Every structure is written in C-alpha cells, then in structure tokens.
C-alpha cells in the first residue's frame, strides 16, 4: 500500500485557487485544457522510450511510437513544415540540441541582446550558449524601441557569425525574416528563429512566417501555443548537412539526422512521452477554429492593453505591440519593476519585472514590467475586461504605498476572476 501524501495535494489545491482567483499576466504562461493536463498526468509517464518511433532502445514502445508519430505529424501539419523533433524537454533543451548539431565549440553566434529582450540561450555569458560559443549581440534603437535590420547587417558583417539568431522573450514587434535571411546569406551564416513566445500567433498566420527563410526554428509548446511545458525543433525543409558529418553508414548526412542525434543521445535521455502526448493534443487543438479565434483575441487584447496604458500616460517600449506582449517602461513613473511587481502581486496580479532597453538598473530591480495576454485570454477576457485590468494595474501603481487600496483591488480581482473558470479542470 502506498501511503498517501497529504501535503502536495493540498498545495496543488492552493495553487489551483491562486490560478483561479488571480490575474495571470506573465507573457510566457498559459492555461492548458483538461485533456492536455490529463495526458501530461497519464500512465505514459511510466514508459522509457530512448530513440525515435520505430527505432527505440527499449521494447514495449509500440503505443508510444503511435503517440510520438502523431505528435510529429500534427506539428508538421500545423506549421506546414517537412521535419519536426518533438522530444526536447524544454525550449532551452531544444536550443542546446540545435546549437550542438550546428555549431563547433567557440563558433561565433549573433543574437538579440538579453538586456533588450533576448533570451539567455541566445549567447548570455551566464548560460551554456555564452560559455561554449563566442556571442555577439544586436539591440533595439534607443528612440523607437525597434530592431533595425541595418544594425543587424552591420554587426553580422563585423563579426561573421556561424549562426544568426532571431527571436526574443520580451520584444513586442515582428521580425523581418527575408531581410535576416539575406544578411545570413551575405555572411555565410545559418539563420535560426526561436519562436518560443509567438509560436501560436505564427501558426495561425497572425505574424510573419519564419519557416520559408530560416534554416532552423525552435519553439516552446507552453506559451501562446497553449500546450504542456516543452520544446521542439522544426525545419521547413530538411537539407544535406554541410559539415560532412556522417556515421559509419553515412546515415547522418541530412540535418534532420544531426538534429535528432543532438537531442538524443546528444543532450537528453529518454523522451517524456506523457508530455509528447500532450504536445500532440496541443497541436490538434491549435488546428481548430476555436484556437484561431483565441489567438486573434490574444493579439487584439494586447493591442487594446497597450493603447489603454498609453491613454493613461504610460510609456510602452516601441509604443505598442504586434504580438501578445508589451513592456511597460516605468522610468517616468519613478517606480522600479521590482516595486511594481511586488505591489501588483499583493493584488493577485501576476507580472514579472523586466529590463527595458538601455535600462540603468540591474535585472533584480529593472525599470519595467512585462505583460502578456495569452493566459487571461484563455480565461475568457475580452476587450472590456482588458480595460478593467489596466484600470486595476493603474490603481495599484498609483497607490503603491497604500495597502488598503491594494487590498481593495485584490478583492475586486478575486471576485471578478471567479467568473472565468480554469480550462485545466473539468
Ligand atoms: C525566446 C525563448 N527561448 C527559449 C525559452 C526557454 O524555454 P524553457 O523555459 O522551456 O527552457 C524561452 C523561455 O522563456 C524564451 O522566451
């Protein structure tokens, strides 16, 4: 008899209450459906399946083979691509495997500056990517908050990287993939798009399509795509690897084979088949009309939120958004991101402090907060609700030292959000 743990179930209930009654504005979060949660918590967690469908190192894989093959086929259909690996345990794992497959130790990479909204795995010195490879960065224009493609071209000509990385964690504008590909071709670099954040919007054609232009695309599955926590690597078209890397049978002559082997055995062991099943369901859901309606609303809500803040005199980096997130610049409000995050959390409004471009403070303090609409749109919030959300945030930030006011906002938030059931529970 297995003794029942009474503590963790209680804590899960506590977390469920927090998620239900609060406003989730962290741009990288979302709420999965009950069927995705069920797959992620299923018996599939029991199965070891090192290798790929049909080529496993363990027996008893015939069912998970069907599951993983379906996940691959659905992801290929969703993004209209030729090749996908659905095994990376996370976005960072996908990026690590890709870099291992494509780069040699010490190769130069050119990515978007972490301090302007880039991601750790794009060359930060505190991450494997900045330790194993020589990293260079481009940033945004100080006045406009936009990346300027001319600057990327100039940096690429100066540094001659082996890979140019596009994609971000906190950039609210779209990417010019044809321009980036032209730059990559000019300097002889590979082009990689990390679409961890906007994958859902890209899948529905709401943002520029990276696939025809980028040699490689990586993504997470848990942000706008609204699947389980995880990653994947995709290629619009497989191509012959230019490194002449082959095994004895010459079997690694395609990039797909190099990438597959960089995931396993290169950087991971057994794939998480319960999560792969949940990814398959997420791709299935993402091909429905309801999901399209959802992401259209995510983008609409972000635009409305940005405009409502600007109408109240707030500065938004780049003065708006094309995608699902925005960066609130609090410098003119004499508030740090840390102060804002803490006060908003006291009102059950969950955000994250974030550096703004050219920030003069540290990542622990910051001058901004990042806000995203993917999660609250899943809860069912639409235009009118977004205006109310902005009103609540404004009240908290204007009354940052007034516990009574903040408590009042919390009560209003909790009461309001109880009307929008969590999709994760039946
Ligand atoms: C652009 C980008 N790439 C990669 C990741 C890493 O994903 P994970 O947290 O699943 O490792 C993130 C996560 O925030 C991200 O924003």
């Amino acid at each position: 008899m297995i003794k029942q743990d009474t503590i963790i179930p209680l804590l899960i209930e506590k977390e469920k209450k927090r998620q239900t009654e609060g406003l989730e504005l962290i741009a990288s979060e979302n709420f999965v459906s009950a069927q995705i949660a069920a797959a992620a918590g299923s018996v599939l967690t029991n199965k070891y399946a090192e290798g790929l469908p049909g080529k496993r190192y363990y027996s008893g894989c015939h069912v998970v083979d069907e599951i993983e093959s379906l996940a691959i086929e659905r992801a290929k259909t969703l993004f209209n691509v030729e090749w996908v690996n659905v095994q990376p345990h996370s976005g960072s794992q996908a990026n690590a495997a890709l870099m291992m497959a494509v780069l040699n130790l010490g190769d130069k990479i050119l990515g978007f500056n972490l301090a302007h909204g880039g991601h750790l795995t794009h060359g930060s010195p505190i991450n494997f990517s900045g330790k194993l490879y020589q990293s260079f960065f481009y940033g945004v224009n100080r006045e406009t908050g936009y990346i300027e493609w001319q600057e990327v071209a100039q940096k690429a000509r100066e540094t001659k990287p082996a890979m140019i990385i596009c994609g971000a964690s906190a950039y609210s504008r779209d990417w010019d993939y044809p321009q980036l590909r032209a730059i990559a071709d000019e300097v002889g670099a590979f082009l990689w798009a990390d679409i961890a954040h906007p994958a859902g919007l890209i899948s529905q054609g709401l943002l520029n399509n990276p696939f025809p232009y980028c040699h490689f695309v990586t993504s997470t599955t848990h942000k706008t795509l609204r699947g389980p926590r995880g990653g994947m690597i995709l290629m619009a078209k497989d191509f012959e690897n230019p490194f002449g890397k082959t095994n004895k049978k010459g079997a690694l002559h395609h990039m797909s084979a190099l990438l597959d082997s960089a995931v396993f055995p290169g950087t991971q062991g057994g794939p998480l088949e319960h999560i792969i099943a949940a990814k398959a369901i997420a791709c299935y859901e993402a091909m429905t009309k309801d999901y399209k309606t959802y992401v259209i609303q995510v983008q609409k809500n972000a635009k409305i939120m940005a405009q409502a803040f600007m109408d109240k005199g707030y500065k938004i980096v780049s003065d708006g958004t094309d995608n699902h997130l925005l960066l609130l610049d609090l410098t003119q409000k004499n508030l740090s991101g840390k102060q804002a995050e803490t006060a908003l959390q006291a009102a059950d409004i969950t955000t994250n402090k974030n550096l703004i471009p050219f920030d003069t403070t540290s990542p622990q303090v910051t001058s901004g907060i990042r806000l995203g609409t993917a999660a609250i749109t899943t809860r069912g919030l639409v235009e009118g609700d977004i205006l109310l959300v902005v009103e609540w945030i404004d009240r908290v930030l204007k009354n940052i030292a007034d516990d009574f006011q903040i408590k009042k906002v919390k009560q209003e938030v909790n009461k309001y959000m109880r009307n929008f059931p969590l999709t994760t529970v039946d």
Side-chain angles (χ1 to χ4, degrees), residues 90-92 95 119 122 168-169 194 196-197 220 222-223:
S90 71
S92 300
N95 295 353
H119 190 256
H122 301 176
S169 295
D194 178 347
H197 266 270
T220 58
H222 48 273
K223 302 182 197 224

Side-chain angles (χ1 to χ4, degrees), residues 83-284:
W83 177 88
V84 182
N85 185 306
V86 293
Q87 293 190 353
H89 301 332
S90 71
S92 300
Q93 292 283 119
N95 295 353
L98 171 65
M99 292 166 102
M100 180 174 167
V102 176
L103 300 170
N104 290 310
L105 286 182
D107 269 359
K108 292 178 185 169
I109 52 175
L110 176 63
F112 182 41
N113 192 340
L114 176 70
H116 289 200
H119 190 256
L120 284 167
T121 54
H122 301 176
S124 162
I126 54 167
N127 181 262
F128 75 89
S129 55
K131 293 182 192 294
L132 302 183
Y133 311 104
Q134 206 184 328
S135 47
F136 299 88
F137 300 98
Y138 54 88
V140 299
N141 177 286
R142 191 187 272 270
E143 306 306 319
T144 62
Y146 279 74
I147 296 169
E148 283 184 355
W149 311 114
Q150 277 320 308
E151 191 211 332
V152 182
Q154 195 190 325
K155 288 259 158 75
R157 285 179 200 126
E158 280 163 22
T159 55
K160 298 253 179 308
M163 183 128 77
I164 296 176
I165 310 165
C166 51
S169 295
Y171 184 60
S172 61
R173 296 302 181 177
D174 209 351
W175 298 76
D176 188 336
Y177 302 109
Q179 280 250 33
L180 285 160
R181 178 57 187 260
I183 298 167
D185 284 346
E186 184 192 321
V187 300
F190 283 113
L191 182 62
W192 157 28
D194 178 347
I195 61 166
H197 266 270
L201 280 72
I202 287 170
S203 77
Q204 306 301 310
L206 300 179
L207 290 170
N208 294 334
N209 183 5
F211 288 102
Y213 306 101
C214 298
H215 299 92
F216 312 105
V217 175
T218 56
S219 185
T220 58
T221 47
H222 48 273
K223 302 182 197 224
T224 52
L225 201 51
R226 210 166 63 180
R229 311 196 69 78
M232 51 186 178
I233 310 176
L234 312 95
M235 279 191 297
K237 282 224 166 307
D238 196 2
F239 56 98
E240 204 168 308
N241 95 57
F243 316 115
K245 285 186 199 167
T246 56
N247 64 9
K248 281 195 190 113
K249 294 178 193 156
L252 294 183
H253 62 276
H254 274 92
M255 278 312 308
S256 55
L258 274 188
L259 290 166
D260 279 337
S261 78
V263 174
F264 171 82
T267 51
Q268 290 188 176
L272 311 175
E273 293 296 341
H274 52 307
I275 298 301
I276 289 172
K279 287 175 184 171
I281 300 174
C283 290
Y284 171 81

Side-chain angles (χ1 to χ4, degrees), residues 359-412:
D359 210 317
T360 51
T361 68
S362 74
Q364 285 75 38
V365 178
T366 82
S367 302
I369 51 172
R370 186 183 64 158
L371 303 169
T373 53
I376 51 170
T377 307
T378 298
R379 293 294 297 276
L381 271 57
V382 293
E383 288 85 336
D385 309 306
I386 300 299
L387 298 180
L388 194 53
V389 169
V390 172
E391 204 60 54
W392 280 323
I393 294 174
D394 183 44
R395 268 170 62 196
V396 170
L397 298 183
K398 276 195 180 130
N399 297 285
I400 201 115
D402 185 341
D403 291 349
F404 177 74
Q405 276 299 329
I406 292 177
K407 198 161 170 210
K408 256 182 81 183
V409 173
K410 173 182 153 65
Q411 283 162 353
E412 287 173 37

